[in-house]
Amino acid sequence: MSKGEWLKTIGNAMLDLVYPPGLYCISCGKITDDSRTYRLCNECMQSMNWITARHCEKCGRPLADTDPGALCFGCSRREVSGPPFSFDKGHACAGYGAVEQSVIFAFKYGGYADIGDIMGEILYDRMISEYGRDELASMYDLVLPIPSHRDRRLRRGFDHAALMAEGFAKRAGLQFDPGMIVRTRATVPMKGLGPHERLLNIKGAFSLKNSRSSLAEGARILLIDDIFTTGATVDEAAGLLKEHGASRVDFLAFAGGADIIAG
Ligand SMILES: [Zn+2]
Ligand SMILES: [Zn+2]
């Protein structure tokens, strides 16, 4: 641990003494209490872009009023000009706006690892609202997080998607494996890259752990990530799993939509 990281750890430990965890809104940081749903204050709860209405049948992102059919602009364009996505179906809990961005920032960059479990609960509620508990429990053989690169994980002290996936899988009663997909190289942040550059950036960035790659054969898999924008990252992982024989690969993201930032 570097001196800077050590000081940060001590600093956080002292903050925890003064401000016990679980008292703050996970988006705006205002004092609230942990009896609140998802630990969001009233204002943030109401400002979340919860996906309750029309969303894309393929990728799950919210549809704009100007989207005429069942698919978003990106998915309908792919239908026509390809290449098809490797994943089968996507789900998102909320459209990606300011409140969603704050939650993701507090979790990933603010060091509040406990937000991962709350996001797991949000993911779970999203899925049972569509499928119900029993159907969800029998839908997938494996829940896998999209892994961060080791360097980023070490900097943050945790793998954010793994915490979300664990929180989701334990509620759903599904098998969770945080180590099956491995990030083999660091990628530059997707922010600021165009769609084609994103594809190149992520191409070949994942592999399956040798000892577990046979588990993909015939498996129905649910991938978990914090945000879905162009779909390049999740599709790269889905393609790899399909190459190893996965029969179905869906994904579930906390937020989906237009790109403000991306990780
Ligand atoms: Zn708030
Ligand atoms: Zn779509």
Side-chain angles (χ1 to χ4, degrees), residues 24-30 32 39-45 99:
Y24 294 89
C25 169
I26 62 169
S27 171
C28 70
K30 268 204 303 253
T32 172
R39 237 174 72 206
L40 284 164
C41 72
N42 270 339
E43 223 168 88
C44 291
M45 189 72 183
V99 178

Short mmCIF file of all heavy atoms in Angstrom, two decimals, residues 24-30 32 39-45 99, ligand 1:
data_model
loop_
_atom_site.label_atom_id
_atom_site.label_comp_id
_atom_site.label_asym_id
_atom_site.label_seq_id
_atom_site.Cartn_x
_atom_site.Cartn_y
_atom_site.Cartn_z
N TYR A 24 -26.21 8.17 4.96
CA TYR A 24 -26.20 9.17 3.90
C TYR A 24 -26.86 8.67 2.63
O TYR A 24 -26.71 7.52 2.26
CB TYR A 24 -24.76 9.59 3.60
CG TYR A 24 -24.18 10.30 4.79
CD1 TYR A 24 -23.54 9.60 5.78
CD2 TYR A 24 -24.39 11.66 4.93
CE1 TYR A 24 -23.07 10.24 6.91
CE2 TYR A 24 -23.94 12.32 6.06
CZ TYR A 24 -23.28 11.61 7.04
OH TYR A 24 -22.85 12.26 8.16
N CYS A 25 -27.58 9.57 1.98
CA CYS A 25 -28.17 9.25 0.68
C CYS A 25 -27.04 8.83 -0.27
O CYS A 25 -26.02 9.51 -0.37
CB CYS A 25 -28.90 10.48 0.13
SG CYS A 25 -29.40 10.29 -1.59
N ILE A 26 -27.23 7.71 -0.95
CA ILE A 26 -26.15 7.17 -1.79
C ILE A 26 -25.92 8.01 -3.05
O ILE A 26 -24.95 7.80 -3.76
CB ILE A 26 -26.38 5.69 -2.18
CG1 ILE A 26 -27.67 5.52 -3.01
CG2 ILE A 26 -26.41 4.80 -0.96
CD1 ILE A 26 -27.82 4.14 -3.64
N SER A 27 -26.81 8.96 -3.31
CA SER A 27 -26.61 9.81 -4.49
C SER A 27 -26.08 11.19 -4.10
O SER A 27 -25.00 11.58 -4.52
CB SER A 27 -27.91 9.94 -5.27
OG SER A 27 -27.77 10.91 -6.27
N CYS A 28 -26.83 11.94 -3.26
CA CYS A 28 -26.44 13.33 -3.00
C CYS A 28 -25.63 13.48 -1.72
O CYS A 28 -25.05 14.54 -1.48
CB CYS A 28 -27.67 14.23 -2.96
SG CYS A 28 -28.70 13.94 -1.51
N GLY A 29 -25.60 12.45 -0.87
CA GLY A 29 -24.81 12.53 0.35
C GLY A 29 -25.49 13.24 1.50
O GLY A 29 -24.90 13.41 2.56
N LYS A 30 -26.72 13.66 1.32
CA LYS A 30 -27.46 14.30 2.41
C LYS A 30 -27.76 13.28 3.51
O LYS A 30 -27.94 12.10 3.22
CB LYS A 30 -28.80 14.85 1.89
CG LYS A 30 -28.74 16.28 1.43
CD LYS A 30 -30.08 16.99 1.46
CE LYS A 30 -31.17 16.34 0.66
NZ LYS A 30 -31.55 17.01 -0.57
N THR A 32 -29.60 10.94 5.74
CA THR A 32 -30.88 10.23 5.66
C THR A 32 -30.75 9.09 6.66
O THR A 32 -30.02 9.21 7.63
CB THR A 32 -31.18 9.79 4.20
OG1 THR A 32 -32.32 8.97 4.21
CG2 THR A 32 -30.04 9.03 3.56
N ARG A 39 -31.61 3.44 0.42
CA ARG A 39 -30.87 4.55 1.07
C ARG A 39 -30.79 5.78 0.17
O ARG A 39 -29.76 6.45 0.08
CB ARG A 39 -29.48 4.08 1.50
CG ARG A 39 -29.28 4.30 3.01
CD ARG A 39 -27.99 3.71 3.47
NE ARG A 39 -26.86 4.49 3.00
CZ ARG A 39 -25.67 3.97 2.81
NH1 ARG A 39 -25.45 2.70 3.03
NH2 ARG A 39 -24.69 4.75 2.40
N LEU A 40 -31.88 6.09 -0.47
CA LEU A 40 -31.96 7.32 -1.27
C LEU A 40 -32.88 8.29 -0.54
O LEU A 40 -33.92 7.88 -0.01
CB LEU A 40 -32.55 7.02 -2.65
CG LEU A 40 -31.63 6.33 -3.67
CD1 LEU A 40 -32.45 5.75 -4.81
CD2 LEU A 40 -30.59 7.31 -4.21
N CYS A 41 -32.51 9.57 -0.48
CA CYS A 41 -33.40 10.56 0.11
C CYS A 41 -34.62 10.73 -0.81
O CYS A 41 -34.60 10.29 -1.96
CB CYS A 41 -32.68 11.90 0.32
SG CYS A 41 -32.36 12.79 -1.22
N ASN A 42 -35.67 11.36 -0.30
CA ASN A 42 -36.91 11.53 -1.08
C ASN A 42 -36.66 12.12 -2.44
O ASN A 42 -37.15 11.64 -3.46
CB ASN A 42 -37.85 12.50 -0.35
CG ASN A 42 -38.75 11.72 0.59
OD1 ASN A 42 -38.94 10.53 0.42
ND2 ASN A 42 -39.27 12.41 1.60
N GLU A 43 -35.86 13.20 -2.41
CA GLU A 43 -35.62 13.93 -3.66
C GLU A 43 -34.94 13.05 -4.71
O GLU A 43 -35.35 13.02 -5.87
CB GLU A 43 -34.71 15.11 -3.33
CG GLU A 43 -35.09 16.41 -3.98
CD GLU A 43 -34.29 17.52 -3.33
OE1 GLU A 43 -33.17 17.77 -3.80
OE2 GLU A 43 -34.79 18.11 -2.34
N CYS A 44 -33.89 12.35 -4.29
CA CYS A 44 -33.15 11.52 -5.25
C CYS A 44 -34.00 10.34 -5.70
O CYS A 44 -33.95 9.94 -6.86
CB CYS A 44 -31.83 11.05 -4.64
SG CYS A 44 -30.66 12.40 -4.42
N MET A 45 -34.78 9.78 -4.78
CA MET A 45 -35.65 8.66 -5.12
C MET A 45 -36.60 9.10 -6.25
O MET A 45 -36.83 8.35 -7.20
CB MET A 45 -36.45 8.25 -3.88
CG MET A 45 -37.22 6.97 -4.04
SD MET A 45 -36.11 5.53 -4.07
CE MET A 45 -37.30 4.22 -4.37
N VAL A 99 -28.76 11.68 -11.20
CA VAL A 99 -28.80 10.94 -9.93
C VAL A 99 -28.09 9.60 -10.07
O VAL A 99 -27.29 9.21 -9.20
CB VAL A 99 -30.27 10.72 -9.48
CG1 VAL A 99 -30.32 9.92 -8.19
CG2 VAL A 99 -30.97 12.06 -9.29
ZN ZN B 1 -30.28 12.35 -2.14
#
